[in-house]
Amino acid sequence: MEHNDLKIYKGNIFYFDENVTLKDFTAGKEASGTIYHYIENGLLAVENGKILAVGDYNTCIKDYPDAQVIDYSGKMITPGFIDTHLHVTQSGTVAAYGEKLLEWLNNYVFPCESAYLDDDAARTDINFFLRELIKNGTTTAVGYGPLTYSATDILFEELSRRNIRFITGNTMQDRNSPEYLTLPAKENYENALKIIHKWHNKGRQSYAITPRFAFSSTEELLELSKSLKTEYPDLYIQTHIDENLAEIEGIKTLFPWSKNYLDVYDHFGLVTDKTVFGHCIYLTDEEYMVMRDRQAIISSCPISNNFLGSGLFNIKKMMQYTDRITLGSDLGGGNTLSMLAVLDEFYKVGMLQDFKVYSMTRWFLCTLGAAKSLGLSDVIGSFKPGKEADFIIIDPKATEFVSYRTDRVNDIYELLFVLMTLGDSNLIEDTYIYGKSMKNFV
Ligand code: GUN
Ligand code: ZN
């Protein structure tokens, strides 16, 4: 058989079994070994951006006698991370001191995002952000784009130049925002339409209807968001909910007819199985039930929640309601794009509530689990042949400190735990997007 562009990667391969769901972990299968594949001295064959085969190196290499082998012996080859909540526009305001959500937005975030009114500055910032994202091993993200049409267009250009799978849209706001970040509802909608026509489902790009949050949206904007979803039912939606107590009080005042925060979005048809809700800390029982019934996608952002003093996401309770739990860095409320660090913080949020989240469970939530929640598991999230070859190389010996500890692990569970607890971008040796190394991408 002729093989174009075939490459063989040799290393310790780790990925989840295709059929696993979050329930399998909670049912205690973590230890049974049926939920994952860990192939020490394994082989990953990649051709034309897709996974061709995976297996034991010594057995499978015979099938590819002439192929180029890239040797990552001793390193882990694993699917790239999926970050389901971040802000492309906030690299310039991470690590801003002393404020909780609403003041933090007004004092730091909105002024920072005003840089995106200039297209050159926007492109520079987007390129910085994407380099950092990829350095951290994230190969798919759901993220908030800029306000304007032209900066959002630049974002999509830069995404497609890298061929990175991404779900994003122009962040729409039409009240409770500074003048420079406020557009009339209709203009937000028209910008969205132009972007959808140009970019949605082009290559690996998907559009997300992005009303920033109900607090900065008029009813007209939410109504127009609904129109977009009605006109284009396959669009994603992303927004924030129940992140901060002052925010929730504000929602009661702005939407006095609403039963609760989620009811505002539900009233406008925005609670769907393609809606990603960031934060979800203060859900009422009724909101948990509606999230479950609509199969909405939850994105927990533990680093941001701790940094902004927002509160603790109730992992145990959410797991009782839904499988569709994913994780987000929420840069710049979160101070890092490392999903390893996000996983570490998620563990600590559990511990603060006397709930232990297994290592495998957490890793699943930002790989195959997120792919399933987003409806993308036919193309990403594991190494099933035919899927897109988005993978990362993790070096467990990248630093002396991590090496000292990983030398002493007993099994894959402990190895994952140590990588999540001690790791960050230092451990990510390379990130491959659609079969291409991003190391020297400029
Ligand atoms: N709610 C509305 N906008 C934002 C934002 O930019 N970051 C966070 N963490 N919450 C928000
Ligand atoms: Zn956010």
Side-chain angles (χ1 to χ4, degrees):
M1 192 169 142
E2 270 293 308
H3 287 295
N4 293 321
D5 187 38
L6 173 69
K7 290 208 173 69
I8 301 294
Y9 299 89
K10 180 182 185 197
N12 299 332
I13 291 175
F14 175 77
Y15 64 102
F16 288 101
D17 191 79
E18 209 50 38
N19 300 317
V20 170
T21 70
L22 193 51
K23 296 236 164 26
D24 294 320
F25 297 90
T26 51
K29 279 200 198 157
E30 150 128 317
S32 75
T34 59
I35 58 168
Y36 66 88
H37 302 272
Y38 184 49
I39 313 169
E40 288 176 273
N41 196 31
L43 168 150
L44 183 71
V46 173
E47 188 176 44
N48 299 327
K50 302 267 175 71
I51 308 293
L52 182 67
V54 60
D56 173 69
Y57 183 84
N58 291 328
T59 312
C60 298
I61 192 64
K62 299 182 187 83
D63 297 337
Y64 310 103
D66 305 320
Q68 181 191 355
V69 177
I70 295 126
D71 191 352
Y72 288 121
S73 293
K75 295 171 187 170
M76 188 188 279
I77 304 176
T78 194
F81 296 123
I82 301 173
D83 183 338
T84 61
H85 185 116
L86 54 77
H87 296 262
V88 169
T89 49
Q90 293 179 10
S91 306
T93 194
V94 291
Y97 172 77
E99 302 289 8
K100 289 196 172 191
L101 179 66
L102 298 178
E103 296 75 20
W104 172 76
L105 287 170
N106 283 323
N107 296 353
Y108 297 116
V109 172
F110 294 155
C112 170
E113 292 185 345
S114 73
Y116 275 71
L117 299 172
D118 177 274
D119 286 352
D120 291 339
R123 193 181 296 278
T124 303
D125 198 69
I126 287 165
N127 275 309
F128 174 80
F129 165 82
L130 289 175
R131 271 196 304 277
E132 290 299 314
L133 183 78
I134 290 165
K135 245 195 257 173
N136 277 285
T138 294
T139 51
T140 293
V142 185
Y144 291 66
L147 172 83
T148 66
Y149 169 79
S150 62
T152 309
D153 188 43
I154 292 168
L155 171 59
F156 274 102
E157 271 176 28
E158 292 299 330
L159 293 168
S160 68
R161 201 162 67 81
R162 290 165 175 84
N163 202 18
I164 185 171
R165 190 169 272 287
F166 221 90
I167 300 166
T168 186
N170 49 309
T171 297
M172 306 190 288
Q173 38 199 124
D174 72 338
R175 70 163 144 175
N176 283 336
S177 315
E179 206 176 319
Y180 56 81
L181 281 188
T182 305
L183 287 180
K186 200 80 204 287
E187 204 174 324
N188 281 302
Y189 167 81
E190 279 159 6
N191 288 343
L193 277 183
K194 279 198 283 177
I195 293 286
I196 291 164
H197 292 154
K198 185 161 177 193
W199 291 107
H200 180 53
N201 289 340
K202 298 284 154 53
R204 306 181 84 202
Q205 311 310 316
S206 302
Y207 184 83
I209 305 163
T210 309
R212 183 172 206 124
F213 59 162
F215 190 81
S216 60
S217 310
T218 61
E219 296 197 10
E220 186 189 2
L221 182 62
L222 297 172
E223 190 64 45
L224 288 169
S225 300
K226 177 184 183 176
S227 305
L228 290 169
K229 181 70 179 166
T230 310
E231 289 164 63
Y232 301 93
D234 75 322
L235 294 180
Y236 288 90
I237 301 169
Q238 61 181 339
T239 193
H240 297 82
I241 191 165
D242 286 321
E243 176 178 5
N244 166 287
L245 293 173
E247 170 204 21
I248 295 169
E249 283 309 305
I251 296 299
K252 286 182 191 154
T253 311
L254 293 171
F255 303 92
W257 47 263
S258 61
K259 282 189 282 183
N260 50 52
Y261 197 158
L262 188 60
D263 188 43
V264 175
Y265 295 127
D266 203 29
H267 180 85
F268 294 100
L270 300 175
V271 187
T272 76
D273 63 355
K274 293 194 84 171
T275 309
V276 183
F277 284 105
H279 304 296
C280 305
I281 298 171
Y282 296 107
L283 301 186
T284 61
D285 285 348
E286 194 174 350
E287 288 172 292
Y288 276 102
M289 285 190 278
V290 174
M291 288 289 192
R292 176 196 63 201
D293 294 347
R294 302 279 191 286
Q295 289 288 292
I297 305 159
I298 311 297
S299 179
S300 176
C301 307
I303 295 186
S304 165
N305 296 160
N306 289 346
F307 179 73
L308 294 174
S310 299
L312 297 175
F313 176 87
N314 192 332
I315 306 170
K316 183 176 176 188
K317 184 162 182 179
M318 193 62 87
M319 283 182 173
Q320 285 161 357
Y321 278 87
T322 181
D323 268 5
R324 294 163 76 86
I325 303 171
T326 65
L327 291 167
S329 64
D330 192 26
L331 191 90
N335 59 297
T336 173
L337 285 163
S338 170
M339 291 310 287
L340 291 171
V342 171
L343 290 166
D344 177 44
E345 204 83 351
F346 196 60
Y347 174 77
K348 292 172 184 166
V349 166
M351 290 303 273
L352 282 166
Q353 300 173 91
D354 294 318
F355 184 68
K356 281 183 246 185
V357 198
Y358 302 128
S359 305
M360 289 277 177
T361 308
R362 283 183 290 141
W363 203 282
F364 176 75
L365 291 180
C366 65
T367 53
L368 184 61
K372 288 190 174 205
S373 293
L374 293 168
L376 291 173
S377 59
D378 53 334
V379 285
I380 54 168
S382 79
F383 286 154
K384 188 174 169 206
K387 285 200 191 190
E388 297 167 355
D390 286 347
F391 60 97
I392 56 179
I393 311 301
I394 299 184
D395 181 0
K397 310 230 171 293
T399 73
E400 267 185 73
F401 192 69
V402 177
S403 181
Y404 195 79
R405 182 63 182 87
T406 54
D407 273 346
R408 290 161 174 74
V409 301
N410 292 308
D411 55 31
I412 180 69
Y413 303 100
E414 195 179 358
L415 176 61
L416 295 181
F417 188 75
V418 169
L419 294 176
M420 288 185 275
T421 311
L422 304 181
D424 58 21
S425 63
N426 281 339
L427 305 192
I428 311 298
E429 177 161 324
D430 201 353
T431 300
Y432 285 78
I433 293 183
Y434 210 76
K436 197 165 156 225
S437 162
M438 297 304 285
K439 202 160 207 158
N440 299 312
F441 189 93
V442 279

